[in-house]
């Protein structure tokens, strides 16, 4: 699985879309799979899709182009934590091999008490630097 994250001016994630087995077109038009309100984006600006274990990006002949890690591209292979710039919009592409769970939902192995009672220690807290 992978995510496309919309970043604000400070680099904080403000929205996230899961990218799975279906291609996702990004643009300003309502017909795009991911619609972004940025007049400098083309109606359908770029597309991300999966081929095997690899995610690819292709500029869809946009007027202002697509940059991946600062390089103008027509097409590229995406890596974990790569930045994508299109128009005035900045995205981060993120890959992960683990299932995403809603906040507060624990895996079954952690949700049940340990055999024989007692408590389960998940990690030792780090000591603050002096």
């Amino acid at each position: 699985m992978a995510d496309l994250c919309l970043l604000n001016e400070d680099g904080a994630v403000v929205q996230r879309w899961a990218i799975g087995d279906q291609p996702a077109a990004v643009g300003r038009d309502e017909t795009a799979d991911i619609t972004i309100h940025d007049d400098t984006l083309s109606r359908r600006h770029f597309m991300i899709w999966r081929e095997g274990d690899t995610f690819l990006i292709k500029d869809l002949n946009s007027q202002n182009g697509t940059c991946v890690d600062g390089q103008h591209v027509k097409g590229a292979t995406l890596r974990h934590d790569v930045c994508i710039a299109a128009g005035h919009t900045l995205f981060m592409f993120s890959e992960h091999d683990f299932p995403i769970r809603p906040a507060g939902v624990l895996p079954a192995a952690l949700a049940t008490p340990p055999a024989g009672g007692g408590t389960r220690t998940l990690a030792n807290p780090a000591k603050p630097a002096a």
Side-chain angles (χ1 to χ4, degrees), residues 20-122:
D21 293 331
Q22 297 300 313
V26 178
R28 73 171 196 270
D29 195 78
E30 297 297 324
T31 62
D33 301 302
I34 298 171
T35 303
I36 305 295
H37 301 288
D38 175 351
D39 291 337
T40 63
L41 286 180
S42 293
R43 288 181 189 97
R44 292 172 61 86
H45 199 98
F46 64 86
M47 181 169 294
I48 295 177
W49 74 99
R50 181 180 182 164
E51 283 186 10
D53 292 337
T54 303
F55 287 89
L56 304 166
I57 186 169
K58 178 182 179 184
D59 182 84
L60 299 175
N61 298 317
S62 66
Q63 184 167 349
N64 294 321
T66 301
C67 292
V68 175
D69 270 352
Q71 301 294 317
H72 273 65
V73 298
K74 290 291 182 189
T77 299
L78 295 174
R79 299 176 325 277
H80 178 65
D81 282 351
V82 70
C83 287
I84 301 167
H88 292 294
T89 306
L90 186 62
F91 302 91
M92 171 136 332
F93 175 80
S94 177
E95 283 187 274
H96 45 83
D97 295 331
F98 51 86
I100 295 180
R101 294 181 183 89
V105 176
L106 293 174
L110 297 178
T112 58
T119 60
R120 178 179 282 119
T121 302
L122 298 178

Side-chain angles (χ1 to χ4, degrees), residues 2-22:
D3 291 327
L4 183 66
C5 304
L6 176 65
L7 305 178
N8 68 10
E9 308 81 46
D10 299 324
V13 174
V14 293
Q15 197 162 356
R16 181 183 312 259
W17 299 271
I19 307 293
D21 293 331
Q22 297 300 313

